[in-house]
Amino acid sequence: AQTVTQSQPEMSVQEAETVTLSCTYDTSESDYYLFWYKQPPSRQMILVIRQEAYKQQNATENRFSVNFQKAAKSFSLKISDSQLGDAAMYFCAYRSANNNDMRFGAGTRLTVKP
Amino acid sequence: DTAVSQTPKYLVTQMGNDKSIKCEQNLGHDTMYWYKQDSKKFLKIMFSYNNKELIINETVPNRFSPKSPDKAHLNLHINSLELGDSAVYFCASSQSLASYNEQFFGPGTRLTVL
């Protein structure tokens, strides 16, 4: 079974600085999708960014970008110019292209200091 | 305007009771899901429905039963509630079962079993 590991339970960053959240996963598949979801205190899960495994180019969404290393099975999230509103739990997720199973990591709680 | 809504937002009940959580999506999506988030924030998929048919049934107790009266609704019924059922339950939907699809989450229902 695929597992997703987020080794940083908590991270903090100064406002306007850059922070990187780590995610690794274990799979024997070659075709899959990776996601980062954000869960603010309101509990609403929101998609931040997604990456197709067959694409070598790293996905970017405004201040959010990923460093996808397929061989290393690593999928880190970089948040640039951090804002107070970025404070939340961030979950890394894996979904196989061959089945419908979705696996989430344990989450990283990000604190943004003013 | 809420895309995915859940009721109730909070549910407190006694052990042994039967309860239901309702979920509705107004996005016209074909697929809906139920997730359980435990006290450690670990998010695990429980069920998914595509066009009213159960696609995934993770190893959850059969006390949990999803019911979909139509494509826009996926309700979760729980019989004989146990202390370990206390968690936040999230409903989600996506356009289809395709793995790359973003999942849109509801605000969650915090269930507390006393």
Side-chain angles (χ1 to χ4, degrees):
Chain A
Q2 299 85 7
T3 57
V4 180
T5 302
Q6 292 178 250
S7 59
Q8 305 154 317
E10 296 184 355
M11 290 284 284
S12 67
V13 62
Q14 205 70 36
E15 195 176 4
E17 297 291 306
T18 296
V19 65
T20 299
L21 307 184
S22 301
C23 174
T24 59
Y25 56 93
D26 180 31
T27 184
S28 57
E29 298 180 325
S30 59
D31 197 10
Y32 49 86
Y33 299 87
L34 297 164
F35 305 83
W36 278 98
Y37 278 88
K38 171 185 176 181
Q39 185 180 38
S42 65
R43 293 202 315 236
Q44 192 91 34
M45 296 274 287
I46 305 163
L47 178 68
V48 175
I49 200 166
R50 87 185 98 184
Q51 174 82 40
E52 294 90 343
Y54 60 83
K55 287 188 177 179
Q56 291 186 336
Q57 187 173 7
N58 289 325
T60 300
E61 288 286 344
N62 300 314
R63 297 182 295 107
F64 298 87
S65 61
V66 299
N67 183 4
F68 173 48
Q69 302 288 330
K70 191 171 184 180
K73 298 178 185 174
S74 171
F75 182 60
S76 60
L77 174 69
K78 186 171 84 170
I79 306 174
S80 304
D81 186 24
S82 297
Q83 300 175 0
L84 294 178
D86 294 334
M89 283 287 288
Y90 285 82
F91 292 93
C92 178
Y94 170 105
R95 189 167 187 186
S96 168
N98 301 316
N99 61 54
N100 304 309
D101 197 12
M102 183 96 154
R103 303 276 173 169
F104 284 82
T108 296
R109 182 178 300 281
L110 178 67
T111 303
V112 181
K113 299 178 181 177
Chain B
D1 278 321
T2 305
V4 182
S5 59
Q6 293 178 230
T7 53
K9 195 170 182 180
Y10 298 95
L11 183 56
V12 181
T13 188
Q14 297 287 332
M15 232 171 33
N17 284 349
D18 303 336
K19 290 294 177 185
S20 295
I21 306 172
K22 294 185 177 181
C23 177
E24 177 181 1
Q25 55 95 2
N26 62 6
L27 297 167
H29 286 169
D30 285 339
T31 308
M32 296 182 72
Y33 311 82
W34 275 106
Y35 287 86
K36 178 181 179 181
Q37 187 176 42
D38 62 25
S39 58
K40 296 182 180 178
K41 300 293 186 182
F42 192 70
L43 198 67
K44 184 172 181 180
I45 190 167
M46 300 176 70
F47 304 102
S48 66
Y49 254 74
N50 187 60
N51 287 329
K52 296 174 65 176
E53 292 186 21
L54 182 65
I55 301 300
I56 297 176
N57 186 347
E58 289 287 309
T59 54
V60 299
N62 57 15
R63 299 181 294 104
F64 291 79
S65 55
K67 287 186 171 54
S68 180
D70 55 57
K71 199 172 77 167
H73 296 84
L74 182 65
N75 304 324
L76 183 64
H77 298 273
I78 316 170
N79 296 324
S80 303
L81 277 156
E82 300 177 358
L83 294 177
D85 297 335
S86 294
V88 180
Y89 292 83
F90 287 94
C91 177
S93 73
S94 63
Q95 181 131 26
S96 71
L97 271 177
S99 298
Y100 59 78
N101 280 327
E102 175 182 359
Q103 293 188 16
F104 292 80
F105 285 78
T109 296
R110 181 178 294 280
L111 171 66
T112 302
V113 182
L114 304 175

